[in-house]
Amino acid sequence: MTKRLGKTAVATLSLGLVFAMALTGCAPKTDTAGDGGSGDATKGGTLSFYIGEPAYIDPYNTQESEGTQVEQALFDSLTAFDALDAVKIIPAAADSWEPNADASVWTFKLNKDAKFSDGTPVMAKDFVYAWNRIANPATKNTSTGEADPSVISYHIDKVKGFDEVAAGTATEMSGVKAVDDYTLEVTLKESFADFEYVVAHPALAPVPQKAVEEGVDYNGEMLPYGDFPIGNGPFKMSEPWKRGQYVKVVQNENYGGEAANIDGIDFRIFKDPNTAYTEFEAGTLDFCQIGEGKITDAISKYGESENGYTANPGAQSLLGAETAVYYIVANTKNDVMKDANIRKAVSYAINRQAICDVVFEGTREPADNIVPPGVAGYVPGVWAEAKYDVEAAKKALADAGYPDGVGAPELTLTFNNDGGHEKIMQLVQSDLKVIGLTVKFDTADFPTTLKKYDAGNFQFGRLGWIADYPIMDNFLYPLFFSTSGDNKSAYNNPDIDKQLDEARKTVDGDARIAMYQEIDKAIGADLPVIPVMFYKHHHIASDRVHDLTYSAMGMADFQKVWLEAAAK
Amino acid sequence: MLQYISRRLLQFVPVFFGVTLLLFFITTVLPGDPVRLRTGERAMSPAVYAELREAYGLNDPWYIQYVHYIGKLSKGDLGTSIYTGRPVTEILNDTYPYTMKLAFAAIIIEIIVGVAAGIISALKQYSWADMLVTLSTSIMVALPVFWLGLLLQYFFGIWLKDWTNGAFYLPVSGASSSQFPEWVHLILPAITLASVSTAYAARIMRSQLLEVIGQDYVRTAHAKGLSARKVLWDHSIKNAMIPVVTFIGLDLGAMLSGAILTETVFNWPGVGFTIFRAISGRDYPVVFGGVILVLIVVLVINLLVDISYAFLDPRIRYGGGAGE
């Protein structure tokens, strides 16, 4: 017995020793970058940044925010949004630009110092190549060598010659020309005064033709461009994209603009933002979303940023408004929903604040417009019926012929049963019950629901809209122009169509915004959709991160961020 | 035995075609268009939509798509992901080695801890060790995997780090980092993945061994004067192991099919989450490729489990005629 116990003890000790050795081997290495919290920006260090898995980081097909975030580091487009004032457009690859009198022809003068990370200069022809690559449906995926058309070609569908290239009758858009090495001229099919915002999108960055077509040499191995994009931005790839794990970038020594403070960024790819937040709490991640149900705790532990967008030690939680909106879409062709009074009753009945507080811990705010704050021209409360007012809801219902809901038909709310929408819709359902409207759910997965929306086979449902560019046009035109594919409410108002076209032709910025504000107000009066919530950031940075601005568009500004001597 | 293996291998053929045919048929029943999903809530240009559907052969009837798929499969081509435009073989090459690493690490824990705990528990019936095994296995079975994962992350990744002032801790997620050797990243996910199965393995081992050591032939072996060790190893444990091996074999197959919850909680880059995401995104080429890979692995493991019975119990013979 004694002998046996001894063996057990030895085994236990051995296991313990192995485990202790494992743990000892796990003591973190210290990051020696930076000189340590002087308050002045210090150089060096690597920022560890959370993203979800991108589908593409090759600009021609980057649609979601994950890939766009990486592109933001690797590429400079012609213009850029100011991180703290998205309305303000600043030079990027283009030093200057100007439209003609009716904003149908745009001339961009490129920065002559700009280079790709492989040292080759960035020229107008690189934009021509990149844009034609997006437009051409025969464009090949660099991994497979097979045709893989871009799904984001809508960014440039206003360019003259786009339709011919998309239809396969031409291979180059007639509207994009390299006038000389450093002058790019873009002719649009019709006037579009906000085009300078469109060309700020990272997807419209230049790409080097040789690298795209022949691959990128990485330590003697030729890699597909899509795995190792060569860009003209402040950072460059340091190793190939490790899918499901990370994208690592370091400073681009050939960058034509001002160098960043940090040496590099590790974009760490997570399946679940809650896991990323656990990593953050373990001190091994610098930036991520705040975990579900932990907003209050995070604010009390890490402090809240004053402006909602810029993180510094002690003011690390970012809760600024985003340029995104969550809304209920009413099918205006439906027999019941075509009655504006029913739509008004629904809108007045929804207690938006309760949804924001109960479901989202205050990380959303009630929407009073389809255009969110942060977009030039947003006017609070301009959609008069987008507010909670039970008495007004009952009156609207009575005006529709259903006092207290008597005789009102049962409504069907169609939405996808993933993504946490059910909780929101249950609150909407109970709000509508208060005024006498009975709502049944028609739920399915997202693909099925999307199909119903596309086919107009629904009464009312829910959707979200995230801005590609912080301009009113990016909300009003796609969502309400009669022939737009994104107009799921089937709203058809020839006056609005005409006014939208007119606004696009108005070069004077103030006059244009004033026109969009009128249009916004007019659409709000018709209420084809019912704004519910504006999105807000719910992100956090570690206490070694200084001056990290995460814009309303959901893009981080990596130029100004700096890191304190780490090991925190 | 060879005859048996050949017969089993031949059975793979109808199973393979049955599963893949069923899979292709189901995709025609499932609503939702994989190409349309590429742009989510945003509309897609009709020209791009048509081009993509053509490129992926989605305009053909399902049986034609199936014939094309089998034709490409015979050349080792599993197609291209509709969502990422990458070859499915590359996607599986990237993810499956991580699934294998995690599965084998978990199964090793399951075999060592589960079987050992079951043996100790049976041999020391009603002792404190037995009670400890019974209690701990009950807790492990009751504890949801994701919750255990979160607890381990908090304890070893956050609390231990704070407590030791950063001297000792374990990585809470991912498969690699500059701070830790790769194998250290396996510790927490492997323990989490193995937890429930280890508990079941211990329970099965305990009950089987208790049953076997009460059998007449074991008593006879003792009476013949065989040493207690020999009776235990040669006559008791080996016989008791058969249901345990069956369980572990099936469990290994399940683990090699991917572990969605463990992969999600620990951000493990395995195939389970990849297939799960492909199903919800209707990325059929990835679903087909993943299912085919998992199907082959499960069939092979089942065959190996069956073969192992012959080793564990000499009375079991395959391939012979009646009466053998």
Side-chain angles (χ1 to χ4, degrees), chain A residues 217-300:
Chain A
D217 185 353
Y218 175 70
N219 297 334
E221 186 191 354
M222 291 309 281
L223 298 174
Y225 183 79
D227 285 358
F228 200 105
I230 300 282
N232 62 332
F235 296 91
K236 63 177 184 179
M237 299 287 286
S238 62
E239 56 181 282
W241 172 14
K242 185 88 171 165
R243 285 177 169 84
Q245 297 191 50
Y246 55 77
V247 179
K248 290 185 178 179
V249 302
V250 293
Q251 274 216 20
N252 170 15
E253 64 279 7
N254 289 311
Y255 183 51
E258 194 185 334
N261 292 316
I262 50 174
D263 287 338
I265 308 160
D266 284 355
F267 290 102
R268 292 181 56 191
I269 297 167
F270 285 86
K271 297 171 173 65
D272 179 7
N274 292 307
T275 306
Y277 189 68
T278 307
E279 279 280 10
F280 172 83
E281 288 197 298
T284 44
L285 191 64
D286 287 321
F287 186 84
C288 66
Q289 287 182 24
I290 298 171
E292 226 170 277
K294 294 186 175 171
I295 303 278
T296 312
D297 180 54
I299 292 170
S300 72

Side-chain angles (χ1 to χ4, degrees), chain A residues 1 4 7 18-29 53-56 61 63-64 137-138 141 143-144 146-151 153-154 162 166-167 227 242-246 268-272 275 278-279 281-284 416 421 445-448 450-451 454 462-468 474 478 484-486 488 568, chain B residues 30-33 35-45 47-48 51-52 55-56 77 80-87 90 94 98 124 150 153-154 156-158 160-162 166-181 183-184 187 191 229 260 263-270 273-274 277 280-282:
Chain A
M1 185 69 181
R4 202 176 293 167
K7 277 185 178 174
V18 168
F19 197 61
M21 282 166 68
L23 293 178
T24 308
C26 303
K29 292 171 188 166
E53 173 81 296
Y56 292 77
N61 221 353
Q63 183 205 0
E64 15 66 43
N141 185 302
S143 292
T144 59
E146 291 171 8
D148 186 15
S150 169
V151 296
S153 55
Y154 63 87
F162 172 86
D227 285 358
K242 185 88 171 165
R243 285 177 169 84
Q245 297 191 50
Y246 55 77
R268 292 181 56 191
I269 297 167
F270 285 86
K271 297 171 173 65
D272 179 7
T275 306
T278 307
E279 279 280 10
E281 288 197 298
T284 44
N416 47 315
H421 301 294
D445 60 2
F446 188 49
T448 312
L450 205 53
K451 199 173 176 184
D454 284 347
R462 70 99 229 150
L463 281 169
W465 190 260
I466 301 168
D468 279 321
N474 196 221
S484 163
D486 293 307
K488 302 294 182 222
K568 282 194 170 182
Chain B
L30 274 180
D33 185 332
V35 168
R36 174 64 187 85
L37 274 175
R38 281 280 295 272
T39 52
E41 294 176 3
R42 200 176 285 270
M44 180 182 269
S45 141
V48 172
E51 193 72 32
L52 279 167
Y56 289 100
D77 180 0
T80 306
S81 160
I82 297 172
Y83 182 63
T84 64
R86 293 184 74 213
E90 269 184 28
D94 281 352
Y98 289 101
K124 303 283 175 189
L150 292 173
Q153 282 177 326
Y154 179 77
F156 290 105
I158 299 174
L160 191 62
K161 188 179 182 185
D162 286 347
F168 306 114
Y169 64 97
L170 287 174
V172 296
S173 76
S176 65
S177 65
S178 55
Q179 287 107 328
F180 301 99
W183 66 270
V184 178
I187 295 174
I191 291 172
R229 182 181 296 255
I260 296 165
E263 285 179 18
T264 305
V265 171
F266 290 98
N267 204 37
W268 190 257
F273 188 82
T274 305
R277 197 166 68 167
S280 51
R282 306 284 194 272

Side-chain angles (χ1 to χ4, degrees), chain B:
Chain B
M1 177 65 88
L2 272 176
Q3 204 182 6
Y4 172 77
I5 294 171
S6 308
R7 206 167 57 229
R8 285 293 300 269
L9 286 173
L10 274 176
Q11 284 171 3
F12 283 10
V13 177
V15 172
F16 174 83
F17 282 103
V19 170
T20 50
L21 263 170
L22 188 66
L23 208 58
F24 261 80
F25 175 71
I26 287 171
T27 59
T28 62
V29 180
L30 274 180
D33 185 332
V35 168
R36 174 64 187 85
L37 274 175
R38 281 280 295 272
T39 52
E41 294 176 3
R42 200 176 285 270
M44 180 182 269
S45 141
V48 172
Y49 176 77
E51 193 72 32
L52 279 167
R53 282 198 62 91
E54 189 59 36
Y56 289 100
L58 295 169
N59 294 325
D60 297 328
W62 72 271
Y63 46 88
I64 300 290
Q65 289 183 42
Y66 181 72
V67 171
H68 287 162
Y69 187 81
I70 294 295
K72 288 206 288 188
L73 185 64
S74 65
K75 296 172 194 157
D77 180 0
L78 289 170
T80 306
S81 160
I82 297 172
Y83 182 63
T84 64
R86 293 184 74 213
V88 174
T89 44
E90 269 184 28
I91 293 171
L92 298 178
N93 273 341
D94 281 352
T95 52
Y96 205 66
Y98 289 101
T99 293
M100 288 175 69
K101 276 185 203 173
L102 182 58
F104 284 117
I107 218 75
I108 288 168
I109 292 172
E110 186 178 331
I111 291 170
I112 295 174
V113 179
V115 173
I119 293 171
I120 292 167
S121 188
L123 295 181
K124 303 283 175 189
Q125 199 180 8
Y126 307 127
S127 69
W128 66 268
D130 183 27
M131 284 169 65
L132 183 68
V133 168
T134 307
L135 183 68
S136 56
T137 52
S138 300
I139 292 170
M140 281 157 79
V141 168
L143 208 59
V145 167
F146 71 92
W147 181 240
L148 175 67
L150 292 173
L151 288 178
L152 292 175
Q153 282 177 326
Y154 179 77
F155 183 77
F156 290 105
I158 299 174
W159 184 83
L160 191 62
K161 188 179 182 185
D162 286 347
W163 191 58
T164 61
N165 204 20
F168 306 114
Y169 64 97
L170 287 174
V172 296
S173 76
S176 65
S177 65
S178 55
Q179 287 107 328
F180 301 99
E182 276 195 24
W183 66 270
V184 178
H185 280 266
L186 263 172
I187 295 174
L188 297 185
I191 291 172
T192 304
L193 182 59
S195 62
V196 175
S197 310
T198 302
Y200 280 125
R203 288 289 185 91
I204 297 168
M205 189 72 221
R206 179 183 184 274
S207 62
Q208 288 300 313
L209 191 56
L210 281 174
E211 192 182 320
V212 169
I213 56 182
Q215 295 285 320
D216 288 348
Y217 72 87
V218 172
R219 210 174 305 131
T220 307
H222 280 296
K224 278 167 68 183
L226 292 177
S227 70
R229 182 181 296 255
K230 195 165 176 58
V231 173
L232 181 64
W233 286 106
D234 289 357
H235 297 279
S236 307
I237 290 180
K238 272 177 83 173
N239 280 311
M241 280 292 284
I242 290 176
V244 181
V245 167
T246 307
F247 173 74
I248 290 174
L250 290 173
D251 203 37
L252 178 63
M255 286 177 182
L256 285 170
S257 309
I260 296 165
L261 284 178
T262 308
E263 285 179 18
T264 305
V265 171
F266 290 98
N267 204 37
W268 190 257
V271 80
F273 188 82
T274 305
I275 297 176
F276 169 72
R277 197 166 68 167
I279 292 169
S280 51
R282 306 284 194 272
D283 196 349
Y284 296 133
V286 177
V287 177
F288 296 153
V291 170
I292 286 170
L293 175 67
V294 167
L295 174 69
I296 291 169
V297 168
V298 169
L299 287 173
V300 169
I301 287 175
N302 283 350
L303 177 62
L304 292 175
V305 168
D306 287 351
I307 293 169
S308 73
Y309 293 160
F311 165 76
L312 291 168
D313 186 348
R315 291 170 300 177
I316 300 172
R317 286 288 177 268
Y318 298 113
E324 264 197 289

Side-chain angles (χ1 to χ4, degrees), chain A residues 408-412 429 432-433 436-440:
Chain A
E410 186 183 48
L411 302 180
T412 304
Q429 186 186 43
L432 294 181
K433 195 170 184 183
L437 284 175
T438 308
V439 175
K440 69 172 179 185

Side-chain angles (χ1 to χ4, degrees), chain A residues 397-566:
Chain A
L397 198 56
D399 290 346
Y402 309 113
D404 295 322
V406 177
E410 186 183 48
L411 302 180
T412 304
L413 184 52
T414 302
F415 61 95
N416 47 315
N417 51 15
D418 49 9
H421 301 294
E422 192 140 15
K423 287 181 199 167
I424 303 166
M425 293 306 133
Q426 279 167 352
L427 289 176
V428 169
Q429 186 186 43
S430 60
D431 285 342
L432 294 181
K433 195 170 184 183
V434 170
I435 63 164
L437 284 175
T438 308
V439 175
K440 69 172 179 185
F441 289 163
D442 167 26
T443 63
D445 60 2
F446 188 49
T448 312
T449 306
L450 205 53
K451 199 173 176 184
K452 288 182 179 172
Y453 290 163
D454 284 347
N457 183 19
F458 71 106
Q459 195 168 54
F460 69 137
R462 70 99 229 150
L463 281 169
W465 190 260
I466 301 168
D468 279 321
Y469 340 104
I471 52 177
M472 293 184 84
D473 182 271
N474 196 221
F475 289 84
L476 302 180
Y477 201 97
L479 298 183
F480 305 112
F481 194 84
S482 58
T483 56
S484 163
D486 293 307
N487 177 7
K488 302 294 182 222
S489 63
Y491 181 64
N492 188 346
N493 185 334
D495 282 345
I496 292 293
D497 284 359
K498 200 174 156 195
Q499 288 177 54
L500 281 167
D501 280 334
E502 280 303 313
R504 284 188 160 193
K505 289 177 189 161
T506 307
V507 177
D508 180 88
D510 291 339
R512 185 171 67 251
I513 286 176
M515 290 178 80
Y516 280 123
Q517 284 172 333
E518 284 304 311
I519 297 167
D520 185 26
K521 195 174 172 183
I523 297 170
D526 288 344
L527 210 67
V529 302
I530 297 160
V532 177
M533 297 173 288
F534 293 135
Y535 288 77
K536 285 168 76 178
H537 285 338
H538 46 289
H539 293 76
I540 194 157
S542 74
D543 61 356
R544 71 179 196 132
V545 174
H546 291 253
D547 297 337
L548 173 61
T549 298
Y550 192 62
S551 76
M553 297 280 291
M555 290 292 122
D557 178 2
F558 298 119
Q559 290 291 98
K560 295 188 182 108
V561 62
W562 60 279
L563 302 173
E564 228 167 88

Side-chain angles (χ1 to χ4, degrees), chain A residues 52 86 135 170 189 215 313 327 338 350 501 534:
Chain A
K189 288 185 280 190
Y327 61 95
K338 70 182 179 189
I350 297 172
D501 280 334
F534 293 135

